[in-house]
Amino acid sequence: YLKISKLALAFAIIHSKPPGKSSKEYIEYLAKTVSKQDFGWKWKVELLEAEVLRLRQELLLNRISPRFCLENRKQGTSAETLLGRESINPTSYSSQLEDSGCDVCNDSAFDSLGTASDFHRSEHNVNTSKHWLERVPPLTLCHTSKEESLTAPVQFLQCLLEIRKLSEGGILQADFSELENDSFTICNSVSQLLDGLTVFYNSPKFPAPSFLTEGVCVLISLITDTKLSNHVLKKCFKKMEEFKKNLIQIILRNRSVNRFQALHSVSQTLGLLGRNNILRNSLISLLLSEVRQFAEQLLQAHQVQSVYDITQYENISLLCMILEQLLPNETQENNISSSDYEGEEKLKFLKNLDQIILHLSDEFPLFSLYLWRVSVLLNSGQMQ
């Protein structure tokens, strides 16, 4: 039936084609016309879906804390002020992105990668924006740009964080069990935020816009909050895993000349995500897998004297640096020895690692040093 239908459509197009046009030209014309119509419908559908999500977000916030939503409406803050407001001190975050990226030898470029001081700095930035959080603008639809499509989920999630803060202080009464009854809204909001961050990390701007900084701070605050993180991670764990994989691939595949400063911000986000107890082990497994696979490929290329990916060789060091930051955290911050991490990827990473380092140390001393340092951290519990 399908073949007969296609044949009938082909005959109809041939018989109806205008004079002076070939069948191929007429088909291409019809395809363009239909695609334009589809684009218009898709745009309308996206607007309607965004409107539905906005209404569900408002309804969920109202169910969690009706008083908060009532006071928020009384304030009447306009949503347009979000993009133009520097509420989270973006200078400290974006100053590292103003450089051309050529000077990668200064220690300050990587000293704060995933360290406790940097994490507390991000928390401090969120706290210093309390004046913004106390006057959260009403949720809006107008997704006329990528920036606004990112700020929409940020607004909703910041409302949740503010309700959480006020309820903890006894100022508001809130029922967060409602998050269990509406997993669609929280999942879609977090998915929008993760997708928006991925888009901007794929095409970074210099300096980093303030709304990107806000998005990262909201994400970190959300997954580190003791009450909200359980609801979010339980429903969005797969999406969070996909987000981490995307960030790792952005680091490995970036070939731009001025990539190092942009990749530093991606590495910083990965390091902060790895501080969450639920996300840490899976992130370590992903990083170990990528480093191990590249080490094996580099060894094979070295043995047969074939060409290897120089750009990936330069970028792989960032993954090793993240590993160096995450593995000690298991000992220093959580009183868990790194030997407790007995994942499959750890065993694969350590297998034949000494032979790999031995063969690569002469030609690739820096990468071999990275491998050795990671292996020491993995085995540090056994060495004590």
Side-chain angles (χ1 to χ4, degrees), residues 96-109:
Q96 299 166 351
L97 302 180
E98 296 174 359
D99 189 76
S100 65
C102 297
D103 184 11
V104 295
C105 296
N106 58 3
D107 295 334
S108 62

Side-chain angles (χ1 to χ4, degrees), residues 329-342:
N329 287 340
E330 297 187 12
T331 304
Q332 297 172 1
E333 297 183 9
N334 299 291
N335 296 321
I336 302 175
S337 68
S338 51
S339 63
D340 289 339
Y341 178 73
E342 295 292 349

Side-chain angles (χ1 to χ4, degrees), residues 255-373:
R255 299 178 178 275
S256 62
V257 176
N258 294 330
R259 66 183 182 274
F260 294 105
Q261 298 297 326
L263 293 183
H264 168 69
S265 63
V266 182
S267 303
Q268 191 177 49
T269 301
L270 278 173
L272 293 174
L273 290 175
R275 296 188 172 279
N276 182 272
N277 293 330
I278 300 177
L279 301 178
R280 179 184 295 114
N281 282 353
S282 61
L283 178 56
I284 291 176
S285 294
L286 291 173
L287 294 171
L288 287 176
S289 176
E290 292 293 342
V291 174
R292 175 183 59 81
Q293 292 179 27
F294 179 78
E296 293 174 351
Q297 295 171 5
L298 186 62
L299 176 61
Q300 184 179 4
H302 177 63
Q303 289 176 339
V304 299
Q305 296 297 312
S306 62
V307 179
Y308 63 93
D309 192 332
I310 298 179
T311 302
Q312 193 171 2
Y313 173 78
E314 295 173 346
N315 295 342
I316 200 72
S317 61
L318 291 174
L319 302 189
C320 295
M321 289 181 180
I322 300 173
L323 279 170
E324 287 190 52
Q325 297 297 328
L326 294 182
L327 290 173
N329 287 340
E330 297 187 12
T331 304
Q332 297 172 1
E333 297 183 9
N334 299 291
N335 296 321
I336 302 175
S337 68
S338 51
S339 63
D340 289 339
Y341 178 73
E342 295 292 349
E344 182 182 355
E345 283 301 329
K346 173 186 174 180
L347 301 178
K348 289 182 179 179
F349 184 85
L350 295 176
K351 185 179 180 181
N352 300 326
L353 182 63
D354 292 338
Q355 292 297 322
I356 294 177
I357 295 176
L358 179 62
H359 288 89
L360 295 180
S361 57
D362 290 337
E363 190 72 21
F364 308 99
L366 182 58
F367 179 61
S368 299
L369 179 61
Y370 277 129
L371 293 178
W372 176 78
R373 289 167 65 172

Side-chain angles (χ1 to χ4, degrees), residues 21-40:
K21 274 191 176 183
S22 65
S23 299
K24 181 180 179 181
E25 292 174 343
Y26 188 49
I27 291 174
E28 291 176 350
Y29 166 76
L30 292 176
K32 290 181 180 179
T33 303
V34 173
S35 64
K36 289 180 180 178
Q37 294 176 353
D38 289 343
F39 178 78

Side-chain angles (χ1 to χ4, degrees), residues 71-91:
E71 292 180 352
N72 185 36
R73 284 199 176 101
K74 287 181 179 179
Q75 290 173 0
T77 307
S78 62
E80 287 75 9
T81 58
L82 176 63
L83 292 178
R85 188 175 298 170
E86 302 292 333
S87 59
I88 303 190
N89 191 19
T91 54

